[in-house]
Amino acid sequence: MRIHLQAGLSRAAAATLLGGALLMPGAHAAAPGHPASHATGSTAPTDLGTLLRRIQDAGLQQSYVGTYVTSSGGQISSSRITHYCDGREQIERIEALDGQMRRVFRHNDTIHVLWPARRSALIEQRDLLGRFPQPLQPGDSGRLTDSYELMLEADDRVAGLEAQVVMLRPRDAMRYARRLWLERRTGLLLRSDLLGPQGEVLESTAFSELQIGSKLQPQQLLQEMNQLEGYQISRPSYQPTDLGAEGWSLRAPVSGFVAQRVLRRPITPWPTPRPTAEPQPVSQPPGAGAGASVLQAVYSDGLANVSLFIEPHVAGVSRRETPATVGSTSALSRRLGDWWVTAVGAVPPATLQQFTGSLERKRKP
């Protein structure tokens, strides 16, 4: 499935949309589960907060090497991931095994994205919002329980490893169900599926092979990360702000979603979209002018994220209020006076409609 990026979407929203969908072929449809609070004879966490903390802790404490396969909108790709952790330092390398050569390095919250063929690199700081699951904040457990029901399913195997399987079933139509496979011993997330209203798999990512506890050389990873001689380097800067200060507000909250952050993002030249659910710097559209930027507000229910992109309407640039979807990730644009608003997220289109319909201009800052 191909999306024409100019068909109503900003470049930031289109890059987010194209990068957000991960789907695995042949995954089974949703099967009836059992509420976790009623389950017996299982070591799986019995509440949602405990489950997510176990996944988070496993990702922070384990070193591993593996290959994971993703599929989105009928397209399949694979990557090789090397993750080192000693309890203090997090060092990671992800190398795309298909298509254009691309390597993503992370040292704690510093990200280097390298395109060796183009000799292009992006360096940025990433906070914890882009990770799954997100770090829980005070009050999150109760809000998650209001939005999702945790159910246990039959144990399974992924990449030759024994896995506990849990279903996070939504309590309303504002979000998708999730099925998660956790490595039984460590709690490491081995596979994740997003399921549509009829139990169909919309998006999936899974390890095809994995070695947990691998002996890795962190200095070698850091040396590769910092070999940037001859690269054209981009260092975008993001300015924290809030909707009120920018003259915007939501008339009504969207069920289960709370504001996480608001950023003003630069519109800068960009070599190619990268496969991540995180929004990216955007290519400057015709007429945008030097120093142009887009406002991004991120909302979350603790599992699913929705980004609102707000940018001025540029005279002479053709754009339509056209929805677009890749896998489970959708985007919806709306003209609002002299502005364009685009909502993007791995949520049902009706959720995006509530966001774009509730956003209003209050005053000029």
Side-chain angles (χ1 to χ4, degrees):
M1 178 185 213
R2 295 188 64 84
I3 301 293
H4 294 290
L5 302 187
Q6 297 303 322
L9 302 184
S10 72
R11 291 293 183 90
T16 303
L17 173 66
L18 292 174
L22 304 173
L23 200 140
M24 184 73 175
H28 53 280
H34 304 282
S37 57
H38 297 162
T40 58
S42 174
T43 59
T46 57
D47 68 86
L48 192 49
T50 301
L51 171 76
L52 297 184
R53 287 189 183 92
R54 186 178 188 219
I55 297 174
Q56 291 164 5
D57 290 345
L60 294 174
Q61 297 170 1
Q62 301 297 324
S63 294
Y64 54 87
V65 177
T67 300
Y68 66 88
V69 179
T70 67
S71 173
S72 174
Q75 298 182 354
I76 302 172
S77 63
S78 58
S79 298
R80 184 72 174 170
I81 180 170
T82 302
H83 179 90
Y84 169 84
C85 178
D86 64 0
R88 295 169 293 128
E89 295 288 307
Q90 299 282 325
I91 307 173
E92 188 172 74
R93 178 185 64 205
I94 303 175
E95 183 170 6
L97 301 180
D98 308 291
Q100 184 183 35
M101 182 179 293
R102 182 191 61 258
R103 297 188 183 99
V104 180
F105 292 88
R106 176 171 71 89
H107 181 202
N108 297 327
D109 284 340
T110 300
I111 307 295
H112 288 194
V113 187
L114 309 182
W115 291 268
R118 294 174 175 263
R119 309 299 287 177
S120 297
L122 170 92
I123 299 178
E124 63 179 351
Q125 298 293 315
R126 184 190 72 174
D127 62 20
L128 298 177
L129 184 63
R131 302 178 188 174
F132 176 84
Q134 297 174 35
L136 296 180
Q137 303 298 325
D140 279 358
S141 294
R143 182 163 52 86
L144 282 166
T145 301
D146 290 340
S147 298
Y148 297 92
E149 179 183 11
L150 174 61
M151 310 183 79
L152 303 182
E153 298 196 339
D155 287 357
D156 200 357
R157 295 176 75 238
V158 176
L161 299 172
E162 298 295 327
Q164 300 169 338
V165 186
V166 297
M167 168 75 81
L168 309 183
R169 192 182 299 277
R171 298 185 185 275
D172 57 29
M174 302 299 292
R175 60 212 91 237
Y176 291 130
R178 295 175 183 261
R179 179 182 281 116
L180 308 178
W181 284 253
L182 284 67
E183 201 274 323
R184 175 170 290 281
R185 181 178 60 86
T186 63
L188 192 67
L189 188 63
L190 301 177
R191 173 175 167 177
S192 175
D193 287 0
L194 266 69
L195 308 176
Q198 306 305 317
E200 71 276 20
V201 177
L202 302 175
E203 173 181 308
S204 177
T205 180
F207 282 102
S208 61
E209 62 89 14
L210 178 66
Q211 297 176 353
I212 301 177
S214 300
K215 299 297 183 181
L216 302 176
Q217 299 298 323
Q219 293 305 317
Q220 179 180 345
L221 293 175
L222 289 176
Q223 182 178 5
E224 294 180 24
M225 177 178 181
N226 293 296
Q227 286 180 347
L228 300 176
E229 184 177 356
Y231 277 75
Q232 180 180 359
I233 299 174
S234 173
R235 298 177 183 267
S237 61
Y238 309 124
Q239 301 174 356
T241 182
D242 62 77
L243 281 184
E246 300 287 342
W248 297 93
S249 68
L250 286 178
R251 285 193 303 271
V254 179
S255 175
F257 288 87
V258 298
Q260 298 292 313
R261 62 177 177 182
V262 180
L263 298 173
R264 184 160 289 284
R265 305 171 57 86
I267 300 179
T268 57
W270 186 248
T272 184
R274 54 192 166 112
T276 170
E278 277 294 278
Q280 350 177 351
V282 286
S283 299
Q284 187 163 312
S293 63
V294 58
L295 190 67
Q296 179 197 359
V298 180
Y299 293 81
S300 176
D301 68 358
L303 291 175
N305 291 339
V306 172
S307 281
L308 287 177
F309 296 93
I310 306 171
E311 57 188 318
H313 170 68
V314 179
V317 176
S318 177
R319 183 177 289 179
R320 301 190 304 274
E321 298 185 1
T322 304
T325 300
V326 174
S328 69
T329 306
S330 299
L332 179 66
S333 288
R334 174 193 175 204
R335 175 81 181 271
L336 188 59
D338 294 331
W339 306 86
W340 277 101
V341 177
T342 302
V344 183
V347 294
T351 305
L352 301 184
Q353 292 174 0
Q354 285 205 23
F355 273 102
T356 58
S358 294
L359 188 69
E360 61 182 0
R361 186 73 168 159
K362 301 295 292 186
R363 60 173 178 79
K364 292 185 178 181

